[in-house]
């Protein structure tokens, strides 16, 4: 019995598809604690798997190549986590000092606005004030605590990476022995894997360059915790368009507290220029070809996946959107409107 005999009009099929997608997203939100480490491990595996294949092609036994890849991965992850935790711990310890500095900055800003005839007292005074220093600091602490909880997923993620790396060299052979009907579905999965591997590798290179550049720039300006903000800039490279805005906010805010408004403006402009220049020179050549998501699709994906999976959902928004587009949307001719909305040109539909 086909869809026509069931009386399913195109509009009804669209509504049913959207309803099914909503149910899946709600389910994923409840299972975020399981999905987050699983997909994060998949992204990490795709980033380091070229090293495994390179060592195997160099003639090393599979077990030795796997062991060396695991050691390199563990060392890199341990270094990143250690750097992040040390920076966060020091920053949280100095929150009381920054609270008093924030209160002084807002007092000066309020006085300047009052001199211009703008009554800004309500913004900074009272328990319900939007810019009350205590509220701002409390929000900052909650964000930092959320980051620390996210880091706690690392052990499960690393365990998954170990097993995924063990499967990386044999999974293609097992795909080749599947029946034709299953092979067509697996072909799309392999296409997604190939696109994702290229995207992760290219974004990692771009993020490393941006992270080093941001760290050096902030060290020159004398902004505290420059390595921590460089690490943030590296991760924000995985969020096109919005990543730069997220990466510049903490160091600019810290520069405001420590050195004043002009220094904060210099930090914000400098980081934006770093992202713009490196993004156009490196990222556009390496990354854009493998994502080709429109700015609207990026913003929507960050919002949706951030709501579904939390902090890591925003970080993994682009890979998750690529997965949905490759495995589900592009598999059906009627979803051409969604493919166009996400930004993929018609000539890539057959890919």
């Amino acid at each position: 019995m086909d869809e026509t005999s069931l009386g399913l009009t195109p509009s009804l099929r669209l509504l049913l598809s959207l309803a099914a997608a909503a149910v899946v997203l709600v389910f994923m939100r409840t299972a975020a604690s399981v999905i987050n480490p699983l997909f994060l491990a998949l992204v990490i595996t795709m980033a380091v798997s070229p090293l495994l294949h390179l060592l195997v092609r160099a003639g090393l036994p599979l077990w030795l190549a796997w062991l060396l890849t695991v050691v390199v991965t563990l060392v890199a992850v341990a270094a990143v986590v250690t750097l992040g935790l040390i920076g966060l711990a020091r920053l949280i310890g100095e929150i009381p000092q920054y609270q008093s500095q924030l209160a002084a900055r807002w007092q000066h800003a309020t006085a300047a606005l009052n001199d211009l005839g703008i009554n800004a007292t309500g913004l900074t005074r009272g328990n319900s004030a939007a810019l009350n220093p205590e509220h701002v600091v409390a929000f900052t602490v909650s964000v930092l605590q959320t980051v620390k909880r996210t880091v706690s997923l690392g052990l499960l993620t690393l365990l998954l990476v170990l097993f995924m790396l063990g499967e990386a060299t044999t999974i293609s052979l097992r795909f080749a022995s599947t029946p034709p009907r299953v092979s067509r579905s697996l072909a799309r999965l392999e296409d997604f894997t190939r696109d994702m591997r290229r995207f992760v590798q290219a974004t990692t290179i771009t993020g490393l360059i941006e992270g080093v550049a941001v760290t050096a720039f902030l060290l020159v300006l004398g902004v505290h915790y420059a390595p921590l903000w460089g690490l943030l800039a590296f991760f924000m490279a995985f969020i096109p368009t919005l990543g730069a805005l997220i990466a510049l906010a903490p160091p600019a805010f810290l520069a405001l507290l420590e050195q004043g408004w002009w220094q904060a403006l210099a930090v914000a402009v400098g980081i934006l220029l770093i992202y713009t220049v490196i993004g156009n020179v490196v990222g556009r050549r390496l990354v854009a070809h493998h994502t080709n998501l429109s700015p609207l699709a990026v913003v929507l994906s960050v919002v949706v996946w951030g709501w579904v999976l939390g902090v890591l959902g925003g970080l993994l928004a682009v890979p998750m959107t690529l997965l949905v587009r490759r495995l589900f949307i592009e598999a059906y001719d009627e979803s051409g409107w969604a493919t166009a909305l996400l930004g993929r040109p018609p000539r890539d539909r057959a890919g």
Side-chain angles (χ1 to χ4, degrees):
M1 183 177 296
D2 58 19
E3 293 173 336
T4 303
S5 61
L6 290 175
L8 298 180
T9 63
S11 298
L12 183 56
R13 289 198 297 272
L14 174 61
L15 290 177
L16 290 175
S17 299
L18 293 177
V23 171
V24 171
L25 291 177
V26 171
F27 170 76
M28 292 178 67
R29 189 181 186 189
T30 62
S33 60
V34 176
I35 297 175
N36 278 335
L38 179 62
F39 205 79
L40 181 60
L42 178 62
V43 172
I44 295 175
T45 301
M46 290 181 178
V48 301
S49 59
L51 175 61
L52 175 63
H53 293 290
L54 178 63
L55 294 175
V56 171
R57 288 196 299 269
L60 292 181
L62 180 59
W63 68 269
L64 182 56
W66 177 87
L67 180 60
L68 291 176
T69 304
V70 167
V71 170
V72 172
T73 303
L74 291 177
V75 170
V77 172
V80 169
V81 171
T82 301
L83 177 63
L85 289 179
I86 292 175
L88 286 175
R90 291 179 56 195
L91 182 58
I92 292 175
E94 296 186 7
I95 286 294
Q97 174 186 348
Y98 288 126
Q99 182 175 348
S100 61
Q101 293 176 338
L102 176 62
R105 294 295 181 189
W106 282 124
Q107 183 177 2
H108 293 160
T110 302
L113 291 175
N114 289 334
D115 292 340
L116 296 175
I118 302 174
N119 185 9
T121 303
L123 291 174
T124 57
R125 294 183 181 177
N127 293 330
S128 60
L131 298 180
N132 186 293
E134 293 182 359
H135 290 181
V136 175
V137 172
F139 173 76
T140 303
V141 172
S142 67
V143 171
L144 296 176
Q145 295 294 345
T146 300
V147 174
K148 292 183 67 175
R149 286 195 299 270
T150 302
V151 172
S152 67
L153 297 174
L155 291 178
L156 177 59
T157 301
L158 288 177
L159 181 63
L160 291 171
V161 169
L162 300 184
F163 283 101
M164 289 182 179
L165 282 174
E167 300 289 330
T169 58
T170 61
I171 193 168
S172 297
L173 297 177
R174 281 178 283 171
F175 280 178
S177 62
T178 56
R181 177 175 296 182
V182 179
S183 295
R184 286 193 294 271
S185 299
L186 293 179
R188 290 192 173 276
L189 180 60
E190 287 186 325
D191 290 339
F192 161 74
T193 303
R194 182 182 62 252
D195 291 344
M196 271 298 304
R197 185 183 300 113
R198 293 172 178 172
F199 164 73
V200 171
Q201 294 168 9
T203 306
T204 301
I205 295 173
T206 305
L208 284 174
I209 298 174
E210 290 172 344
V212 171
V214 168
T215 301
F217 173 68
L218 295 179
L219 285 174
V220 171
L221 292 185
V223 179
H224 287 173
Y225 311 108
L228 179 62
W229 309 133
L231 185 63
L232 175 65
F234 164 73
F235 285 115
M236 289 305 101
F238 286 84
I239 307 179
T241 306
L242 294 179
L245 299 178
I246 300 174
L248 70 84
F253 183 67
L254 192 62
L256 169 65
L257 297 181
E258 295 178 343
Q259 304 177 31
W261 294 95
W262 288 110
Q263 193 76 356
L265 180 61
V267 169
V269 172
I271 293 179
L272 278 179
L273 286 177
I274 289 173
Y275 269 84
T276 301
V277 172
I278 296 178
N280 287 329
V281 174
V282 180
R284 188 176 298 275
R285 296 181 180 180
L286 295 179
V287 180
H289 174 71
H290 304 300
T291 60
N292 200 23
L293 294 175
S294 66
L296 175 61
V298 171
V299 173
L300 291 178
S301 65
V302 171
V303 172
V304 171
W305 293 116
W307 175 78
V308 173
L309 300 177
V311 175
L312 274 180
L315 183 64
L316 301 175
V318 172
M320 295 293 289
T321 304
L322 292 176
L323 173 65
V324 172
R325 183 179 69 183
R326 196 64 166 174
L327 297 187
F328 299 102
I329 294 179
E330 293 182 356
Y332 303 98
D333 293 334
E334 294 181 354
S335 61
W337 63 271
T339 304
L341 179 63
L342 290 176
R344 175 162 290 228
R347 62 183 177 84
D348 288 343
R349 287 285 306 278

